[in-house]
Amino acid sequence: MQNYVIKKEDLNKLVERALDDYDVYAPVQKKSIHVYDQISDPASMDLNYGQTMTSAKKLFNPPVENMMTFDFDKKEIKDRLEDTIPENPSLIVGLHACDINGLLFLDRVYGGEYDDLYYQKRREKTTIIGLNCLESCESGFCRSVNTHIVFEGYDLFLTPIEDERYYVNVGSPKGDRLITLAPDLFEEATEDDVDAFRKSLQKKHESLPVEFHLDNLMETLDMAWDDPIWEEIGEDCMNCGSCALVCPTCYCFDVVDEVGLDLKESTRKRKWDTCLYYDFALVAGNHNFREEPEARLKYRFYHKMRGAVHDQGIIACTGCGRCIDACPAGISFLDVLAQLQKNWASAPTIEGGN
Amino acid sequence: MQVEVKRENEYVPNLAVLKNRTDMTELETLFEFEFKDKDLQDHFSYKPGQFIQLSMFGIGEAPFSISSTPTRPGTIELGIRRAGDVTEAIHRLEPGDVVGLRGPYGNGFPLEKIKGKDILIVAGGIGLVPLRSAINYIIDEREDFGHMTLFYGACLPEERIFVDELENDWPSAPEVDVLQTVDECHETWMGNVGVVTTLFDKYEVDSENTVALICGPPVMYRFVVKELLDLDFRRDEIYMSLERRMKCGVGKCAHCQVGHKLVCKDGPVFTYFEVQRLQEAI
Ligand SMILES: Cc1cc2nc3c(=O)[nH]c(=O)nc-3n(C[C@H](O)[C@H](O)[C@H](O)COP(=O)(O)OP(=O)(O)OC[C@H]3O[C@@H](n4cnc5c(N)ncnc54)[C@H](O)[C@@H]3O)c2cc1C
Ligand code: SF4
Ligand code: SF4
Ligand code: FES
């Protein structure tokens, strides 16, 4: 496998050239936070970021999208798939390993027995330049859930190495194409570069903490259904849904028909939804399977950490820490899991981990 | 045979025309739809217990169990109760009106697996809708199955659905017993009175070589399952159809998740053994 190196300053040149062909998205600083935003000038991207407030999920599964239109007079359905997909291919620069793992999870949800073409087509048209984190961000706990590493799902993956350069792993033919776009900016990695790469990985492994053990989580959750912690955090939770909205792997959606002002047609839209909302599990006859706020918050934990394993084979949490930062009630996903493991320990818990 | 009709975009429904509507009760009507596309009319197939997503354009989409049987192809029958926006709109449809249908989805009742067995069916109220598909299927493929017993309970005599089949077609079919009961009645009702579980005192059920299929309001399940377990039914031979809010029908929106399973993809039919292991299931 051929690997490359690129100077940090040359990455901006690469992005500059890519702007002709791609819609480019990158982390951008807005006041005190970072978000993924479309950029038209490489200078506005800031790869020296901890975590973005919202995840890159919105670029693949937007908060609202038009699915199809119904023409009432002609009694016809028009599939809006093609016009909901952006015309230009997209390039995302600087996606961290946790978020790429988030996409790998969404790939499973939106694939499988039934294809979700709205997601899949966007995914196909997107090129991803990943970025390795050598230090932990403030609230993230990626290493505890094994998402600090990623082997697929990106096209190029950058690891900062000495002398203000990046070591470049190529993950796909789309990555190859980016390199041919600017062959003058990339150099083939030498043995010294591989050495530098290894040093960076060492640094990463020394600096990223393990905060709880994933291995006995399934057993813990199976035992912890009636744990008093749910009532405790249920009392604080406002069911605002912020935790799910910022999460890279929360994928619940609602579907609504909106009638146009001319009353000639209606559009079926899908919108982000969250299991925290009151009517999420409400059925006819006003029977609510999760009536209490506590039941809905608990369900979020069980779906992500238990249900997803049944359904997709992996947990639906990348340890990105966004839900912790976003929660107005100060509920920490990590602390709750760590506490449950302490209460129900069937395997050693991490000393000092809380 | 299950023929898969591949659509480009799974969420886009196929157009279907309302052929007929038969009012059954004040709230429930039986609707008979036919796909516009000739190919689909011929090839659309499904299993009893599967459901379909019906679109009322401009109003929304909702899941409904298919109430007809694949042994009588050509049209699709749905028994629908008025409950909210989409179902009210469906009840305003006239023959010739066009709706969207996509599916079939879900696993359905395991009719292949229970061939040769006796079958006890317990239905409460509108729970008869999916079970009617299984009942007529079994009657049409009579030699494949053993004896069939139906326990049907409704609140009031006039709230019973498929009355003609309950009173005439099914009792006169070979190897079929039908017992009905209502919670409350007027003088004109000559039959049983009491909740559906009271029928267990009136009819001897032999659980040996018998499987149970049940569908009804959530409260019914616990009581019926208790009766069945007392009669030594095996936990994995009690099949129940669950209902949840659904948006996509294909395992993407997570609305129908129960415990660690999805009602739309892993269900809607679950064994009691599975249901016991699902938090919040019944
Ligand atoms: C697998 C499956 C099979 C089914 N089969 C059948 C069938 O064969 N026949 C049948 O009749 N039904 C069936 N159902 C149920 C059917 O899907 C629902 O009755 C239908 O979705 C109701 O849709 P609606 O738009 O008419 O009602 P909605 O407008 O969605 O409302 C339904 C009820 O929920 C309450 N409600 C809704 N939203 C809110 C809110 N935001 N806040 C407070 N209350 C709210 C209202 O009280 C209302 O009465 C099935 C469901 C499933 C999952
Ligand atoms: S962000 Fe916090 S308060 Fe809001 S729903 Fe999530 S856990 Fe509850
Ligand atoms: S649950 Fe929280 S930490 Fe886990 S992926 Fe979602 S936002 Fe990130
Ligand atoms: S209805 Fe969407 S996941 Fe089941």
Side-chain angles (χ1 to χ4, degrees):
Chain A
M1 187 63 175
Q2 185 58 62
N3 295 311
Y4 299 86
V5 289
I6 185 172
K7 291 200 196 93
K8 284 189 176 175
E9 60 192 59
D10 282 349
L11 184 69
N12 282 26
K13 288 187 198 149
L14 176 72
V15 171
E16 181 75 55
R17 285 184 216 175
L19 277 165
D20 293 339
D21 302 321
Y22 297 85
D23 292 343
V24 181
Y25 296 84
V28 172
Q29 179 150 22
K30 296 231 161 127
K31 296 197 178 128
S32 62
I33 56 153
H34 283 88
V35 291
Y36 291 109
D37 212 350
Q38 187 166 3
I39 58 165
S40 51
D41 175 5
S44 58
M45 75 182 182
D46 180 8
L47 294 186
N48 197 10
Y49 73 106
Q51 188 58 285
T52 55
M53 187 181 77
T54 52
S55 82
K57 153 179 91 174
K58 64 184 178 191
L59 304 177
F60 300 90
N61 172 3
V64 185
E65 82 182 311
N66 296 335
M67 302 178 84
M68 61 197 89
T69 310
F70 306 112
D71 185 317
F72 294 142
D73 294 333
K74 290 197 217 135
K75 301 213 174 1
E76 269 175 14
I77 307 173
K78 188 177 177 300
D79 190 348
R80 298 284 296 273
L81 178 62
E82 289 309 327
D83 27 288
T84 184
I85 310 298
E87 208 175 307
N88 290 331
S90 308
L91 172 70
I92 306 181
V93 187
L95 211 55
H96 288 167
C98 59
D99 279 352
I100 297 170
N101 275 301
L103 288 175
L104 289 175
F105 177 80
L106 294 183
D107 289 349
R108 296 188 191 212
V109 171
Y110 290 118
E113 190 182 350
Y114 298 100
D115 291 321
D116 187 295
L117 299 180
Y118 302 94
Y119 173 87
Q120 288 179 349
K121 295 218 166 189
R122 280 203 191 85
R123 184 81 162 94
E124 251 165 48
K125 279 185 93 164
T126 306
T127 300
I128 292 171
I129 302 183
L131 177 63
N132 216 342
C133 301
L134 303 188
E135 279 165 40
S136 162
C137 60
E138 202 173 307
S139 305
F141 52 99
C142 56
R143 195 171 184 189
S144 307
V145 286
N146 276 334
T147 56
H148 59 311
I149 39 175
V150 64
F151 301 109
E152 52 177 351
Y154 57 80
D155 302 293
L156 295 181
F157 194 67
L158 311 176
T159 303
I161 56 172
E162 60 198 22
D163 302 330
E164 293 298 303
R165 295 174 310 151
Y166 292 115
Y167 188 83
V168 185
N169 291 90
V170 183
S172 79
K174 276 194 276 183
D176 269 338
R177 234 156 286 149
L178 263 188
I179 289 177
T180 41
L181 192 74
D184 52 316
L185 304 179
F186 291 91
E187 272 176 54
E188 291 187 7
T190 63
E191 262 176 47
D192 285 348
D193 296 332
V194 176
D195 228 33
F197 174 54
R198 206 166 51 219
K199 272 195 203 120
S200 289
L201 294 185
Q202 256 162 16
K203 180 174 171 215
K204 169 178 170 170
H205 290 134
E206 277 157 21
S207 76
L208 294 183
V210 180
E211 278 151 307
F212 76 96
H213 283 299
L214 194 56
D215 53 6
N216 65 339
L217 188 67
M218 301 299 114
E219 294 157 338
T220 297
L221 286 173
D222 281 349
M223 291 184 285
W225 184 255
D226 294 318
D227 194 286
I229 200 168
W230 303 121
E231 213 181 303
E232 282 161 33
I233 58 172
E235 266 169 30
D236 296 336
C237 173
M238 310 161 205
N239 276 210
C240 66
S242 304
C243 49
L245 296 176
V246 297
C247 177
T249 56
C250 273
Y251 58 85
C252 298
F253 62 78
D254 193 16
V255 180
V256 291
D257 281 9
E258 284 175 11
V259 179
L261 286 177
D262 57 4
L263 302 182
K264 286 200 155 91
E265 60 170 37
S266 73
T267 302
R268 178 160 295 171
K269 300 184 172 187
R270 73 165 163 199
K271 301 182 172 180
W272 287 359
D273 199 353
T274 96
C275 57
L276 283 314
Y277 295 158
Y278 176 76
D279 61 359
F280 190 81
L282 190 75
V283 298
N286 259 328
H287 183 79
N288 197 335
F289 288 96
R290 287 186 284 272
E291 178 79 29
E292 299 302 321
E294 169 202 332
R296 300 196 287 280
L297 178 61
K298 175 159 82 171
Y299 167 77
R300 181 165 184 267
F301 281 84
Y302 273 84
H303 184 201
K304 299 187 81 62
M305 306 310 272
R306 184 74 182 85
V309 177
H310 161 81
D311 207 26
Q312 310 297 345
I314 49 175
I315 57 167
C317 173
T318 70
C320 72
R322 288 186 177 95
C323 59
I324 301 172
D325 292 336
C327 180
I331 295 168
S332 160
F333 206 77
L334 172 64
D335 289 352
V336 172
L337 294 175
Q339 185 60 46
L340 286 175
Q341 277 195 326
K342 253 188 200 158
N343 296 358
W344 298 94
S346 59
T349 46
I350 302 279
E351 272 316 303
N354 51 0
Chain B
M1 190 183 56
Q2 185 95 348
V3 180
E4 219 194 316
V5 184
K6 255 286 186 208
R7 272 186 307 281
E8 255 286 279
N9 182 345
E10 189 61 46
Y11 298 110
V12 175
N14 294 103
L15 296 176
V17 183
L18 180 67
K19 303 298 287 181
N20 257 310
R21 52 173 292 166
T22 316
D23 291 336
M24 298 195 287
T25 70
E26 216 174 288
L27 288 179
E28 286 110 7
T29 301
L30 185 67
F31 296 88
E32 185 185 2
F33 293 99
E34 184 181 65
F35 281 112
K36 272 196 144 179
D37 184 282
K38 183 80 182 65
D39 234 30
L40 258 175
Q41 277 174 30
D42 296 342
H43 294 297
F44 183 82
S45 192
Y46 54 90
K47 292 195 275 185
Q50 284 194 299
F51 67 93
I52 204 155
Q53 288 275 12
L54 188 155
S55 283
M56 289 302 299
F57 305 133
I59 297 164
E61 198 177 36
F64 300 100
S65 307
I66 305 178
S67 199
S68 44
T69 161
T71 49
R72 303 175 196 176
T75 58
I76 295 160
E77 289 174 343
L78 307 174
I80 297 177
R81 165 179 289 182
R82 289 203 311 250
D85 297 346
V86 173
T87 47
E88 289 288 351
I90 297 172
H91 277 255
R92 288 194 294 270
L93 289 173
E94 293 297 337
D97 287 347
V98 176
V99 302
L101 297 180
R102 63 185 175 94
Y105 297 126
N107 56 359
F109 294 110
L111 292 172
E112 278 302 311
K113 207 170 149 190
I114 65 177
K115 275 188 177 170
K117 302 225 175 202
D118 293 342
I119 297 159
L120 171 67
I121 293 180
V122 185
I126 193 180
L128 189 55
V129 168
L131 287 168
R132 174 187 181 244
S133 179
I135 293 168
N136 283 327
Y137 183 94
I138 290 165
I139 288 174
D140 289 350
E141 305 281 322
R142 202 67 201 84
E143 64 282 9
D144 283 349
F145 300 93
H147 188 90
M148 174 163 68
T149 306
L150 168 64
F151 286 179
Y152 180 56
C155 287
L156 294 166
E158 60 270 29
E159 288 183 4
R160 291 172 305 145
I161 54 177
F162 305 117
V163 173
D164 203 32
E165 286 169 296
L166 275 170
E167 304 266 328
N168 302 310
D169 300 5
W170 296 338
S172 60
E175 290 280 303
V176 179
D177 287 331
V178 177
L179 278 83
Q180 304 182 54
T181 184
V182 295
D183 297 352
E184 278 174 59
C185 66
H186 326 286
E187 287 92 59
T188 48
W189 175 256
M190 308 296 280
N192 295 306
V193 181
V195 293
V196 75
T197 42
T198 58
L199 293 175
F200 283 92
D201 301 331
K202 304 224 158 70
Y203 183 95
E204 198 170 328
V205 177
D206 180 6
S207 63
E208 180 85 29
N209 199 38
T210 307
V211 301
L213 309 181
I214 59 184
C215 187
V219 287
M220 192 191 91
Y221 289 113
R222 234 168 280 150
F223 296 105
V224 172
V225 165
K226 188 177 173 303
E227 294 286 343
L228 295 172
L229 293 177
D230 286 347
L231 286 167
D232 289 333
F233 273 82
R234 281 71 49 195
R235 289 189 294 171
D236 62 336
E237 290 187 322
I238 301 171
Y239 295 94
M240 42 219 299
S241 183
L242 300 187
E243 192 182 310
R244 282 299 183 279
R245 196 180 180 93
M246 288 186 180
K247 286 294 172 180
C248 71
V250 290
K252 311 290 186 206
C253 75
H255 272 267
C256 69
Q257 183 112 15
V258 185
H260 53 276
K261 297 217 170 180
L262 294 167
V263 174
C264 68
K265 242 177 61 187
D266 303 314
V269 179
F270 295 95
T271 64
Y272 177 61
F273 184 85
E274 292 174 287
V275 163
Q276 264 192 319
R277 292 154 60 94
L278 301 177
Q279 288 112 357
E280 309 173 324
I282 54 172

